[in-house]
Amino acid sequence: MPLRPRIRELLCLLALLPGWATAEQRKAPPEQQQDAALVYPCFGCHGFKGHTQSRGIPALDRLDESRFMEKMHRFQNDPLSGSIMPRIASGYDESQLMRMSRYFFQN
Amino acid sequence: MSLSRRRFLSQSALLAFSPLARGNPLPVKGRVVVIGGGYAGSTACKYLHLTAPSLKVTLVEPRLHYTACPGSNAVIAGFATMDQLEHNYQRLTARYNFRHLRETAVSIDGPGHRVFMESGRQLEYDRLIVAPGVDFLWDSLPGYSRKLSETLPHAWKAGSQTQLLAKQFQTLAPGSNVIITVPRAPFRCPPGPYERASLMAAYSRKHNLRLKIRILDANDSFSKQALFEKAWHEFYPGSIEWLPGRETGQLESLQAGKNTVHTEFDQFSADLINHIPPHRAAAIARRNNLTDATGWCPVDPVSFESTQQPDIHVIGDAALLAPMPKSAFSANTQAKACAVAVASLLADSEPPAQPLINTCYSLLDENHAISIASVYGYHQGRLLTRSSGVTPENGDMEREARAAYGWYRNIHNDVFE
């Protein structure tokens, strides 16, 4: 009788194994891909690679690392310092902002 | 000291081929098929190439051009033209090295990793991205039908429907009544019906038509509500009336011959009825076990892989990705994350879980706009809102309008160029 729950446990484990093994085999994404994925949403407003096609929205590709951080901190601290950027900047933490600035600076 | 031309060219060339300047592409091979060439599908094709240029990417899309929904309300209100909504795929396919197969995908063999076309042709894939958009529930309102939409346009998919509604609207006599019906959420472009009402009122004001616009809403609240209502009061006093479902009851029938709609508690007549039918995920998703009981496609919010079928990813309006709204920007941002996820999975890497953004501008007239912007992140595998907000009450709506036009130019640069 005590064997039956054990068999059930074993079957459950076996059923979970393929998915678990696949996830275990996967590597962490390369840092560059993570940074790219972090920055890509910005291009929807600022144009591909941050190269704006409109005077209504500033370019990102002309910023340097420190200017980018300075602007993002200002957006985070002053709700009237921009149009939509104060609302967006507050959704990112400091390490994410630093990685974004690194992406723009290096690319 | 200035850089010599030769030195500048040699350094530029080095930079262009350095891994950092190319975004360090993943050296992964595989076949990816993308169904649907809207904001989601087109963006996915482009960013798949940028992330992993060795991938063999095929876009399955019968149309030669894409007609954008954003901006279509401005066409109805007479200050934008249809050609401003048109975007072709030629530049994309040439620059980002993918194939545009002008066919209609009709079925998917998930275990066999194959997609079948209407013509009988089939394509094999390692990963499939499904971005088919929405279909309408034609039979959800007695008296309304797909056939009737040819004379009573919804204009909720841009193209001939937009042109027809623009023509009907712009030839209304002074003092006419307009009804816009809004389906129960979720539907694509949540602020869209209210922008449409605003721009119709702007047209009426400009041409001194004294139109009365009623919005029969299946919902009891709506996107950017306080801002819209304040603007209607200030810009168009007495012109726009919003009637929530709790007051009128839900729509019960439409009598096209009498230009009348019946609700549970009332009936309304108008010279022009713009009925926006309820939506669900497009047929290809429904017929191939990608949708659940909601009519939408449940997906993992990091990889966008279907929770019902492995190796198939769903993005854009068809996907169940609340709290993200069904918008062009959501589709664009999901597609980029999905492209990186698909390339990562093919390289046996975990998909990165980075924040997603949605931004949406709504025009109040040609020179004023309001916006909503949100950032989404993850907690215990679920998508949640990290920050969100609308234009501040004392915000500069002219600046918002300039940003709205800038956004329109830039998102199409990001998606189609």
Short mmCIF file of all heavy atoms in Angstrom, two decimals, chain A residues 15-70:
data_model
loop_
_atom_site.label_atom_id
_atom_site.label_comp_id
_atom_site.label_asym_id
_atom_site.label_seq_id
_atom_site.Cartn_x
_atom_site.Cartn_y
_atom_site.Cartn_z
N ALA A 15 7.15 13.11 -15.28
CA ALA A 15 6.38 13.98 -16.17
C ALA A 15 6.99 15.38 -16.22
O ALA A 15 6.97 16.05 -17.24
CB ALA A 15 4.93 14.07 -15.70
N LEU A 16 7.54 15.79 -15.08
CA LEU A 16 8.12 17.14 -15.02
C LEU A 16 9.51 17.20 -15.64
O LEU A 16 9.98 18.25 -16.03
CB LEU A 16 8.23 17.61 -13.55
CG LEU A 16 6.93 18.04 -12.90
CD1 LEU A 16 7.16 18.26 -11.41
CD2 LEU A 16 6.44 19.34 -13.53
N LEU A 17 10.16 16.05 -15.73
CA LEU A 17 11.58 16.00 -16.08
C LEU A 17 11.94 16.67 -17.42
O LEU A 17 12.87 17.47 -17.46
CB LEU A 17 12.07 14.55 -16.04
CG LEU A 17 13.57 14.37 -15.85
CD1 LEU A 17 14.04 15.06 -14.59
CD2 LEU A 17 13.93 12.90 -15.83
N PRO A 18 11.23 16.37 -18.53
CA PRO A 18 11.67 16.95 -19.79
C PRO A 18 11.72 18.48 -19.75
O PRO A 18 12.71 19.07 -20.14
CB PRO A 18 10.62 16.46 -20.80
CG PRO A 18 10.00 15.27 -20.17
CD PRO A 18 10.07 15.50 -18.70
N GLY A 19 10.65 19.11 -19.22
CA GLY A 19 10.61 20.57 -19.16
C GLY A 19 11.71 21.10 -18.26
O GLY A 19 12.41 22.05 -18.60
N TRP A 20 11.89 20.44 -17.11
CA TRP A 20 12.89 20.87 -16.16
C TRP A 20 14.29 20.76 -16.77
O TRP A 20 15.09 21.67 -16.70
CB TRP A 20 12.77 19.98 -14.92
CG TRP A 20 13.83 20.22 -13.89
CD1 TRP A 20 13.88 21.24 -12.99
CD2 TRP A 20 14.98 19.42 -13.65
NE1 TRP A 20 14.98 21.14 -12.20
CE2 TRP A 20 15.68 20.02 -12.58
CE3 TRP A 20 15.51 18.26 -14.21
CZ2 TRP A 20 16.88 19.50 -12.08
CZ3 TRP A 20 16.68 17.75 -13.72
CH2 TRP A 20 17.35 18.36 -12.67
N ALA A 21 14.52 19.64 -17.47
CA ALA A 21 15.83 19.43 -18.07
C ALA A 21 16.10 20.48 -19.14
O ALA A 21 17.18 21.04 -19.19
CB ALA A 21 15.90 18.03 -18.68
N THR A 22 15.09 20.82 -19.93
CA THR A 22 15.29 21.80 -20.99
C THR A 22 15.68 23.15 -20.40
O THR A 22 16.62 23.79 -20.84
CB THR A 22 14.00 21.95 -21.82
OG1 THR A 22 13.61 20.65 -22.21
CG2 THR A 22 14.21 22.80 -23.04
N ALA A 23 14.91 23.55 -19.36
CA ALA A 23 15.19 24.84 -18.73
C ALA A 23 16.59 24.85 -18.13
O ALA A 23 17.30 25.85 -18.21
CB ALA A 23 14.14 25.13 -17.67
N GLU A 24 17.00 23.73 -17.54
CA GLU A 24 18.33 23.64 -16.93
C GLU A 24 19.43 23.76 -17.96
O GLU A 24 20.48 24.32 -17.71
CB GLU A 24 18.45 22.31 -16.17
CG GLU A 24 17.88 22.34 -14.78
CD GLU A 24 18.56 23.34 -13.88
OE1 GLU A 24 19.72 23.10 -13.53
OE2 GLU A 24 17.95 24.37 -13.55
N GLN A 25 19.16 23.18 -19.15
CA GLN A 25 20.20 23.19 -20.18
C GLN A 25 20.39 24.57 -20.79
O GLN A 25 21.43 24.86 -21.36
CB GLN A 25 19.83 22.21 -21.30
CG GLN A 25 20.10 20.76 -20.94
CD GLN A 25 19.31 19.81 -21.82
OE1 GLN A 25 18.64 20.23 -22.75
NE2 GLN A 25 19.38 18.53 -21.51
N ARG A 26 19.37 25.41 -20.67
CA ARG A 26 19.47 26.72 -21.30
C ARG A 26 20.46 27.60 -20.58
O ARG A 26 20.48 27.67 -19.36
CB ARG A 26 18.11 27.40 -21.33
CG ARG A 26 17.22 26.86 -22.41
CD ARG A 26 15.99 27.71 -22.51
NE ARG A 26 14.94 26.95 -23.18
CZ ARG A 26 13.67 26.95 -22.81
NH1 ARG A 26 13.28 27.66 -21.79
NH2 ARG A 26 12.79 26.27 -23.47
N LYS A 27 21.23 28.34 -21.39
CA LYS A 27 22.20 29.28 -20.84
C LYS A 27 21.49 30.61 -20.55
O LYS A 27 20.43 30.88 -21.11
CB LYS A 27 23.31 29.54 -21.87
CG LYS A 27 23.95 28.29 -22.44
CD LYS A 27 24.97 28.63 -23.50
CE LYS A 27 24.39 29.06 -24.82
NZ LYS A 27 24.15 28.00 -25.79
N ALA A 28 22.12 31.40 -19.72
CA ALA A 28 21.60 32.76 -19.52
C ALA A 28 21.78 33.50 -20.84
O ALA A 28 22.75 33.23 -21.57
CB ALA A 28 22.36 33.45 -18.41
N PRO A 29 20.88 34.42 -21.17
CA PRO A 29 21.06 35.14 -22.44
C PRO A 29 22.32 36.00 -22.40
O PRO A 29 22.65 36.54 -21.34
CB PRO A 29 19.80 36.01 -22.53
CG PRO A 29 19.25 36.07 -21.16
CD PRO A 29 19.70 34.85 -20.44
N PRO A 30 23.03 36.13 -23.53
CA PRO A 30 24.21 36.99 -23.54
C PRO A 30 23.85 38.40 -23.09
O PRO A 30 22.73 38.86 -23.36
CB PRO A 30 24.64 36.99 -25.01
CG PRO A 30 23.99 35.81 -25.62
CD PRO A 30 22.75 35.55 -24.83
N GLU A 31 24.78 39.05 -22.40
CA GLU A 31 24.50 40.38 -21.85
C GLU A 31 24.06 41.37 -22.93
O GLU A 31 23.16 42.17 -22.73
CB GLU A 31 25.77 40.90 -21.16
CG GLU A 31 25.48 41.78 -20.00
CD GLU A 31 26.71 41.99 -19.15
OE1 GLU A 31 27.61 42.69 -19.63
OE2 GLU A 31 26.77 41.45 -18.03
N GLN A 32 24.71 41.26 -24.08
CA GLN A 32 24.38 42.19 -25.17
C GLN A 32 22.92 42.04 -25.62
O GLN A 32 22.26 43.01 -25.94
CB GLN A 32 25.34 41.94 -26.34
CG GLN A 32 25.22 42.95 -27.45
CD GLN A 32 25.82 44.30 -27.08
OE1 GLN A 32 26.54 44.42 -26.11
NE2 GLN A 32 25.49 45.31 -27.85
N GLN A 33 22.42 40.79 -25.63
CA GLN A 33 21.02 40.57 -26.01
C GLN A 33 20.08 41.14 -24.96
O GLN A 33 19.02 41.69 -25.27
CB GLN A 33 20.73 39.07 -26.20
CG GLN A 33 21.54 38.41 -27.28
CD GLN A 33 21.42 39.13 -28.61
OE1 GLN A 33 20.39 39.70 -28.92
NE2 GLN A 33 22.48 39.12 -29.40
N GLN A 34 20.49 40.99 -23.69
CA GLN A 34 19.66 41.53 -22.61
C GLN A 34 19.56 43.05 -22.71
O GLN A 34 18.50 43.62 -22.55
CB GLN A 34 20.25 41.14 -21.25
CG GLN A 34 20.22 39.67 -21.00
CD GLN A 34 20.40 39.38 -19.52
OE1 GLN A 34 19.73 39.96 -18.69
NE2 GLN A 34 21.32 38.48 -19.21
N ASP A 35 20.72 43.67 -22.98
CA ASP A 35 20.74 45.13 -23.09
C ASP A 35 19.93 45.59 -24.30
O ASP A 35 19.21 46.58 -24.25
CB ASP A 35 22.17 45.65 -23.20
CG ASP A 35 22.94 45.46 -21.91
OD1 ASP A 35 22.33 44.99 -20.92
OD2 ASP A 35 24.15 45.76 -21.87
N ALA A 36 20.07 44.85 -25.41
CA ALA A 36 19.31 45.21 -26.62
C ALA A 36 17.82 45.11 -26.33
O ALA A 36 17.06 46.03 -26.67
CB ALA A 36 19.70 44.28 -27.76
N ALA A 37 17.40 44.02 -25.67
CA ALA A 37 15.98 43.85 -25.37
C ALA A 37 15.47 44.96 -24.45
O ALA A 37 14.32 45.37 -24.52
CB ALA A 37 15.73 42.49 -24.73
N LEU A 38 16.36 45.46 -23.60
CA LEU A 38 16.00 46.54 -22.68
C LEU A 38 15.77 47.86 -23.43
O LEU A 38 14.88 48.64 -23.09
CB LEU A 38 17.14 46.69 -21.66
CG LEU A 38 16.97 47.61 -20.48
CD1 LEU A 38 15.80 47.19 -19.61
CD2 LEU A 38 18.26 47.61 -19.65
N VAL A 39 16.55 48.07 -24.47
CA VAL A 39 16.55 49.35 -25.18
C VAL A 39 15.58 49.37 -26.36
O VAL A 39 15.03 50.43 -26.71
CB VAL A 39 18.00 49.65 -25.64
CG1 VAL A 39 18.02 50.68 -26.74
CG2 VAL A 39 18.83 50.10 -24.46
N TYR A 40 15.33 48.22 -26.96
CA TYR A 40 14.49 48.18 -28.17
C TYR A 40 13.14 48.90 -28.02
O TYR A 40 12.70 49.57 -28.96
CB TYR A 40 14.23 46.73 -28.60
CG TYR A 40 15.37 46.05 -29.33
CD1 TYR A 40 15.38 44.65 -29.49
CD2 TYR A 40 16.42 46.78 -29.87
CE1 TYR A 40 16.41 44.02 -30.17
CE2 TYR A 40 17.46 46.15 -30.54
CZ TYR A 40 17.45 44.76 -30.69
OH TYR A 40 18.46 44.13 -31.35
N PRO A 41 12.44 48.79 -26.88
CA PRO A 41 11.14 49.48 -26.81
C PRO A 41 11.24 51.00 -27.04
O PRO A 41 10.28 51.60 -27.52
CB PRO A 41 10.64 49.17 -25.39
CG PRO A 41 11.30 47.88 -25.05
CD PRO A 41 12.66 47.97 -25.68
N CYS A 42 12.40 51.58 -26.72
CA CYS A 42 12.56 53.04 -26.87
C CYS A 42 12.41 53.47 -28.33
O CYS A 42 11.97 54.59 -28.62
CB CYS A 42 13.94 53.50 -26.38
SG CYS A 42 14.34 52.95 -24.72
N PHE A 43 12.79 52.57 -29.27
CA PHE A 43 12.80 52.95 -30.69
C PHE A 43 11.39 53.17 -31.23
O PHE A 43 11.22 53.80 -32.27
CB PHE A 43 13.52 51.88 -31.53
CG PHE A 43 14.95 51.61 -31.11
CD1 PHE A 43 15.59 50.45 -31.52
CD2 PHE A 43 15.64 52.51 -30.32
CE1 PHE A 43 16.90 50.19 -31.15
CE2 PHE A 43 16.96 52.25 -29.93
CZ PHE A 43 17.59 51.09 -30.34
N GLY A 44 10.38 52.63 -30.55
CA GLY A 44 9.00 52.81 -31.00
C GLY A 44 8.62 54.28 -31.04
O GLY A 44 7.89 54.72 -31.92
N CYS A 45 9.12 55.06 -30.07
CA CYS A 45 8.85 56.51 -30.07
C CYS A 45 9.98 57.31 -30.70
O CYS A 45 9.75 58.29 -31.39
CB CYS A 45 8.68 57.02 -28.63
SG CYS A 45 7.03 56.77 -27.97
N HIS A 46 11.24 56.87 -30.42
CA HIS A 46 12.40 57.70 -30.80
C HIS A 46 12.96 57.35 -32.18
O HIS A 46 13.95 57.93 -32.59
CB HIS A 46 13.50 57.59 -29.74
CG HIS A 46 13.11 58.24 -28.44
ND1 HIS A 46 13.33 59.58 -28.19
CD2 HIS A 46 12.49 57.75 -27.35
CE1 HIS A 46 12.87 59.87 -26.98
NE2 HIS A 46 12.35 58.77 -26.45
N GLY A 47 12.35 56.38 -32.87
CA GLY A 47 12.84 55.98 -34.19
C GLY A 47 13.88 54.88 -34.07
O GLY A 47 14.49 54.70 -33.00
N PHE A 48 14.06 54.14 -35.15
CA PHE A 48 14.98 53.01 -35.15
C PHE A 48 16.37 53.45 -34.71
O PHE A 48 16.91 54.43 -35.21
CB PHE A 48 15.01 52.39 -36.55
CG PHE A 48 15.87 51.19 -36.66
CD1 PHE A 48 15.82 50.18 -35.72
CD2 PHE A 48 16.75 51.06 -37.73
CE1 PHE A 48 16.63 49.05 -35.82
CE2 PHE A 48 17.55 49.93 -37.85
CZ PHE A 48 17.50 48.93 -36.88
N LYS A 49 16.93 52.73 -33.76
CA LYS A 49 18.24 53.02 -33.14
C LYS A 49 18.29 54.41 -32.49
O LYS A 49 19.35 55.00 -32.35
CB LYS A 49 19.37 52.85 -34.14
CG LYS A 49 19.55 51.41 -34.59
CD LYS A 49 20.82 51.22 -35.37
CE LYS A 49 21.02 49.73 -35.65
NZ LYS A 49 22.21 49.46 -36.44
N GLY A 50 17.11 54.95 -32.17
CA GLY A 50 17.07 56.25 -31.50
C GLY A 50 17.32 57.42 -32.44
O GLY A 50 17.49 58.55 -32.00
N HIS A 51 17.32 57.14 -33.75
CA HIS A 51 17.59 58.18 -34.74
C HIS A 51 16.26 58.77 -35.18
O HIS A 51 15.64 58.31 -36.14
CB HIS A 51 18.35 57.55 -35.91
CG HIS A 51 18.79 58.56 -36.93
ND1 HIS A 51 19.66 59.57 -36.63
CD2 HIS A 51 18.46 58.71 -38.22
CE1 HIS A 51 19.85 60.31 -37.72
NE2 HIS A 51 19.13 59.81 -38.69
N THR A 52 15.79 59.78 -34.46
CA THR A 52 14.44 60.31 -34.70
C THR A 52 14.30 60.90 -36.10
O THR A 52 15.25 61.44 -36.67
CB THR A 52 14.07 61.37 -33.64
OG1 THR A 52 12.70 61.72 -33.79
CG2 THR A 52 14.93 62.62 -33.75
N GLN A 53 13.09 60.77 -36.65
CA GLN A 53 12.77 61.32 -37.97
C GLN A 53 11.91 62.57 -37.82
O GLN A 53 11.41 63.08 -38.81
CB GLN A 53 11.98 60.28 -38.78
CG GLN A 53 12.61 58.91 -38.84
CD GLN A 53 13.88 58.91 -39.65
OE1 GLN A 53 13.87 59.35 -40.79
NE2 GLN A 53 14.96 58.45 -39.07
N SER A 54 11.73 63.02 -36.57
CA SER A 54 10.79 64.11 -36.34
C SER A 54 11.34 65.08 -35.30
O SER A 54 11.96 64.65 -34.32
CB SER A 54 9.46 63.53 -35.83
OG SER A 54 8.69 64.53 -35.23
N ARG A 55 11.05 66.37 -35.49
CA ARG A 55 11.48 67.35 -34.49
C ARG A 55 10.62 67.28 -33.22
O ARG A 55 10.99 67.83 -32.20
CB ARG A 55 11.42 68.76 -35.09
CG ARG A 55 12.73 69.11 -35.79
CD ARG A 55 12.72 70.55 -36.23
NE ARG A 55 11.83 70.73 -37.40
CZ ARG A 55 11.62 71.90 -37.97
NH1 ARG A 55 12.19 72.98 -37.52
NH2 ARG A 55 10.83 71.98 -39.03
N GLY A 56 9.48 66.59 -33.31
CA GLY A 56 8.59 66.48 -32.15
C GLY A 56 9.12 65.56 -31.06
O GLY A 56 8.65 65.60 -29.93
N ILE A 57 10.09 64.71 -31.42
CA ILE A 57 10.63 63.74 -30.45
C ILE A 57 12.17 63.75 -30.54
O ILE A 57 12.72 63.64 -31.64
CB ILE A 57 10.07 62.33 -30.72
CG1 ILE A 57 8.57 62.32 -30.41
CG2 ILE A 57 10.79 61.27 -29.88
CD1 ILE A 57 7.88 61.00 -30.51
N PRO A 58 12.85 63.89 -29.41
CA PRO A 58 14.32 64.00 -29.47
C PRO A 58 15.02 62.70 -29.88
O PRO A 58 14.49 61.61 -29.67
CB PRO A 58 14.70 64.40 -28.04
CG PRO A 58 13.56 64.05 -27.20
CD PRO A 58 12.33 64.03 -28.05
N ALA A 59 16.21 62.86 -30.45
CA ALA A 59 17.03 61.70 -30.83
C ALA A 59 17.69 61.12 -29.60
O ALA A 59 17.96 61.83 -28.63
CB ALA A 59 18.09 62.15 -31.83
N LEU A 60 17.94 59.82 -29.61
CA LEU A 60 18.71 59.19 -28.54
C LEU A 60 20.14 58.91 -28.98
O LEU A 60 21.02 58.78 -28.15
CB LEU A 60 18.05 57.86 -28.14
CG LEU A 60 16.65 57.93 -27.53
CD1 LEU A 60 16.11 56.54 -27.27
CD2 LEU A 60 16.68 58.73 -26.24
N ASP A 61 20.34 58.85 -30.28
CA ASP A 61 21.66 58.44 -30.77
C ASP A 61 22.70 59.54 -30.65
O ASP A 61 23.86 59.32 -30.93
CB ASP A 61 21.56 57.91 -32.20
CG ASP A 61 20.96 58.93 -33.16
OD1 ASP A 61 20.39 59.94 -32.69
OD2 ASP A 61 21.08 58.73 -34.38
N ARG A 62 22.29 60.74 -30.24
CA ARG A 62 23.28 61.81 -30.08
C ARG A 62 23.64 62.05 -28.62
O ARG A 62 24.40 62.94 -28.29
CB ARG A 62 22.74 63.10 -30.70
CG ARG A 62 22.70 63.04 -32.21
CD ARG A 62 22.08 64.31 -32.77
NE ARG A 62 21.25 63.97 -33.92
CZ ARG A 62 20.14 64.59 -34.25
NH1 ARG A 62 19.72 65.59 -33.51
NH2 ARG A 62 19.46 64.23 -35.30
N LEU A 63 23.05 61.25 -27.73
CA LEU A 63 23.35 61.43 -26.31
C LEU A 63 24.62 60.69 -25.93
O LEU A 63 24.95 59.68 -26.54
CB LEU A 63 22.21 60.84 -25.46
CG LEU A 63 20.85 61.53 -25.50
CD1 LEU A 63 19.86 60.73 -24.70
CD2 LEU A 63 20.96 62.94 -24.96
N ASP A 64 25.30 61.19 -24.93
CA ASP A 64 26.39 60.38 -24.37
C ASP A 64 25.91 59.81 -23.04
O ASP A 64 24.81 60.14 -22.56
CB ASP A 64 27.70 61.16 -24.24
CG ASP A 64 27.59 62.34 -23.29
OD1 ASP A 64 26.80 62.25 -22.33
OD2 ASP A 64 28.29 63.34 -23.50
N GLU A 65 26.75 58.95 -22.46
CA GLU A 65 26.34 58.19 -21.28
C GLU A 65 25.86 59.11 -20.14
O GLU A 65 24.80 58.89 -19.56
CB GLU A 65 27.53 57.35 -20.81
CG GLU A 65 27.16 55.98 -20.40
CD GLU A 65 28.38 55.08 -20.30
OE1 GLU A 65 29.48 55.49 -20.73
OE2 GLU A 65 28.22 53.96 -19.79
N SER A 66 26.65 60.13 -19.85
CA SER A 66 26.31 60.94 -18.68
C SER A 66 25.08 61.80 -18.93
O SER A 66 24.24 62.02 -18.05
CB SER A 66 27.49 61.79 -18.24
OG SER A 66 27.83 62.66 -19.28
N ARG A 67 24.95 62.29 -20.16
CA ARG A 67 23.79 63.13 -20.49
C ARG A 67 22.51 62.29 -20.42
O ARG A 67 21.47 62.77 -19.95
CB ARG A 67 23.99 63.67 -21.92
CG ARG A 67 22.91 64.62 -22.35
CD ARG A 67 23.23 66.07 -21.99
NE ARG A 67 22.15 66.95 -22.44
CZ ARG A 67 21.24 67.51 -21.64
NH1 ARG A 67 21.30 67.31 -20.35
NH2 ARG A 67 20.31 68.28 -22.13
N PHE A 68 22.59 61.04 -20.88
CA PHE A 68 21.43 60.15 -20.82
C PHE A 68 20.99 59.95 -19.37
O PHE A 68 19.81 60.10 -19.04
CB PHE A 68 21.79 58.78 -21.46
CG PHE A 68 20.70 57.76 -21.35
CD1 PHE A 68 19.67 57.71 -22.27
CD2 PHE A 68 20.70 56.82 -20.31
CE1 PHE A 68 18.65 56.77 -22.17
CE2 PHE A 68 19.70 55.87 -20.19
CZ PHE A 68 18.67 55.86 -21.13
N MET A 69 21.96 59.66 -18.49
CA MET A 69 21.62 59.41 -17.08
C MET A 69 21.04 60.67 -16.43
O MET A 69 20.07 60.61 -15.69
CB MET A 69 22.86 58.94 -16.31
CG MET A 69 23.34 57.56 -16.69
SD MET A 69 22.10 56.27 -16.47
CE MET A 69 22.11 56.04 -14.70
N GLU A 70 21.66 61.80 -16.77
CA GLU A 70 21.20 63.08 -16.20
C GLU A 70 19.74 63.34 -16.58
O GLU A 70 18.91 63.70 -15.74
CB GLU A 70 22.12 64.17 -16.79
CG GLU A 70 21.91 65.55 -16.27
CD GLU A 70 22.71 66.55 -17.11
OE1 GLU A 70 23.92 66.32 -17.36
OE2 GLU A 70 22.10 67.55 -17.53
#
